[in-house]
Amino acid sequence: MIVEQIWTGNAYRNFNYLIACPDSGQALAIDPLDHRKCLALARERGWEITQILNTHEHGDHIGGNKAVVAATGAKVLAHKNAKDRIPGMDQGLSAGDVVKVGRSVDLEVLDTPGHTMSHVCLLSRSDQPALFCGDTLFNAGAGNCHNGGHPNELYHTFAEQLAKLGDETLIYPGHDYIATNLRFTLDREPDNGAAADLLDRVDDQDPAKAMVSTLGLEKEINTFFRLHSPTVIARLRQAFPDLPDEPSTKDVFLKLRELRNSW
């Protein structure tokens, strides 16, 4: 499996992706908003884009579909419940489905509600696992739930699916928000040395050459995985005095998501 992360350079700081089969040259485009960059890179590599995967239905993820389909004839895949919100969708996906790219790339579909209720992530179950997580999981952060989602569902996605993946899993998010998210982590957990060290490294990084994190690293520096941290809980209680004496992980997650909305 070959992965190309494409920095759009737009105001929303989107990442687009091409996943290619080295044996066939066929490629999958994930959320190809910047269709020009995606098509140009495919031509440069000699790849044929045969499929488009939309992680969810928001305009900054589906906006390039029409142009890519016109140029390549690619089929559009997305969550089965997004069919009324993604024009020209060809195939609806459910949890456990496998998206095949060429002859040698298999990507498992995860049904990951929260940011929206029709969100999927793709997981490669290869020697080096990788998660293409759209707007569910960001580097050092979690997606918002403002436009068709729900924080309760986002918590369950994190706790019951993402947190159980292997620590070596590479994380490929839909946006570059790492510096801002690390600052939120440090605001919640100022004694998190790993987050402080990483912020020093990535604060002025070129997003076109962005660092790729792992789930193991996210568990160290992403406050939405650090729900047992005494510091996180203590500082959260300052903002929410009604927090229970022994809050559940769900209590902590939901309050963190609420706080992040206005931070």
mmCIF file of all heavy atoms in Angstrom, residues 91 119 123 180 195 224 233 257:
data_model
loop_
_atom_site.group_PDB
_atom_site.id
_atom_site.type_symbol
_atom_site.label_atom_id
_atom_site.label_comp_id
_atom_site.label_asym_id
_atom_site.label_seq_id
_atom_site.Cartn_x
_atom_site.Cartn_y
_atom_site.Cartn_z
ATOM 1 N N GLN A 91 -21.965 3.644 -3.871
ATOM 2 C CA GLN A 91 -21.981 2.481 -2.980
ATOM 3 C C GLN A 91 -22.033 2.927 -1.529
ATOM 4 O O GLN A 91 -21.235 3.761 -1.093
ATOM 5 C CB GLN A 91 -20.725 1.617 -3.199
ATOM 6 C CG GLN A 91 -20.676 0.359 -2.326
ATOM 7 C CD GLN A 91 -19.431 -0.468 -2.559
ATOM 8 O OE1 GLN A 91 -18.723 -0.261 -3.553
ATOM 9 N NE2 GLN A 91 -19.145 -1.401 -1.677
ATOM 10 N N HIS A 119 -20.506 8.802 9.413
ATOM 11 C CA HIS A 119 -19.058 8.940 9.250
ATOM 12 C C HIS A 119 -18.417 7.555 9.241
ATOM 13 O O HIS A 119 -18.754 6.703 10.051
ATOM 14 C CB HIS A 119 -18.476 9.773 10.389
ATOM 15 C CG HIS A 119 -17.081 10.272 10.154
ATOM 16 N ND1 HIS A 119 -16.001 9.425 10.004
ATOM 17 C CD2 HIS A 119 -16.591 11.530 10.034
ATOM 18 C CE1 HIS A 119 -14.909 10.139 9.803
ATOM 19 N NE2 HIS A 119 -15.242 11.425 9.815
ATOM 20 N N LEU A 123 -9.505 1.395 7.922
ATOM 21 C CA LEU A 123 -8.378 0.805 8.641
ATOM 22 C C LEU A 123 -7.697 -0.216 7.753
ATOM 23 O O LEU A 123 -8.333 -1.164 7.282
ATOM 24 C CB LEU A 123 -8.873 0.133 9.923
ATOM 25 C CG LEU A 123 -7.821 -0.602 10.753
ATOM 26 C CD1 LEU A 123 -6.793 0.370 11.327
ATOM 27 C CD2 LEU A 123 -8.499 -1.405 11.871
ATOM 28 N N THR A 180 -2.822 23.715 17.498
ATOM 29 C CA THR A 180 -3.918 24.207 18.340
ATOM 30 C C THR A 180 -4.387 23.131 19.305
ATOM 31 O O THR A 180 -4.642 23.402 20.493
ATOM 32 C CB THR A 180 -5.099 24.679 17.469
ATOM 33 O OG1 THR A 180 -4.649 25.723 16.611
ATOM 34 C CG2 THR A 180 -6.240 25.185 18.323
ATOM 35 N N ALA A 195 3.372 16.191 25.336
ATOM 36 C CA ALA A 195 2.665 17.169 24.510
ATOM 37 C C ALA A 195 3.492 18.434 24.334
ATOM 38 O O ALA A 195 3.536 19.018 23.241
ATOM 39 C CB ALA A 195 1.313 17.497 25.130
ATOM 40 N N PHE A 224 -8.315 13.706 24.665
ATOM 41 C CA PHE A 224 -9.543 12.914 24.549
ATOM 42 C C PHE A 224 -9.294 11.417 24.737
ATOM 43 O O PHE A 224 -10.240 10.629 24.811
ATOM 44 C CB PHE A 224 -10.224 13.190 23.208
ATOM 45 C CG PHE A 224 -10.809 14.577 23.143
ATOM 46 C CD1 PHE A 224 -10.091 15.621 22.580
ATOM 47 C CD2 PHE A 224 -12.056 14.844 23.683
ATOM 48 C CE1 PHE A 224 -10.613 16.902 22.535
ATOM 49 C CE2 PHE A 224 -12.584 16.128 23.652
ATOM 50 C CZ PHE A 224 -11.858 17.164 23.082
ATOM 51 N N ILE A 233 -8.692 15.736 35.167
ATOM 52 C CA ILE A 233 -9.933 15.727 35.953
ATOM 53 C C ILE A 233 -9.975 16.914 36.914
ATOM 54 O O ILE A 233 -11.001 17.602 37.032
ATOM 55 C CB ILE A 233 -10.080 14.387 36.700
ATOM 56 C CG1 ILE A 233 -10.270 13.237 35.694
ATOM 57 C CG2 ILE A 233 -11.255 14.445 37.683
ATOM 58 C CD1 ILE A 233 -10.181 11.858 36.305
ATOM 59 N N ARG A 257 -15.153 17.800 25.511
ATOM 60 C CA ARG A 257 -15.677 18.190 24.197
ATOM 61 C C ARG A 257 -16.461 19.505 24.312
ATOM 62 O O ARG A 257 -16.350 20.374 23.438
ATOM 63 C CB ARG A 257 -16.554 17.065 23.648
ATOM 64 C CG ARG A 257 -17.120 17.227 22.260
ATOM 65 C CD ARG A 257 -16.075 17.414 21.181
ATOM 66 N NE ARG A 257 -15.820 18.814 20.928
ATOM 67 C CZ ARG A 257 -14.889 19.255 20.109
ATOM 68 N NH1 ARG A 257 -14.109 18.411 19.463
ATOM 69 N NH2 ARG A 257 -14.714 20.543 19.933
#
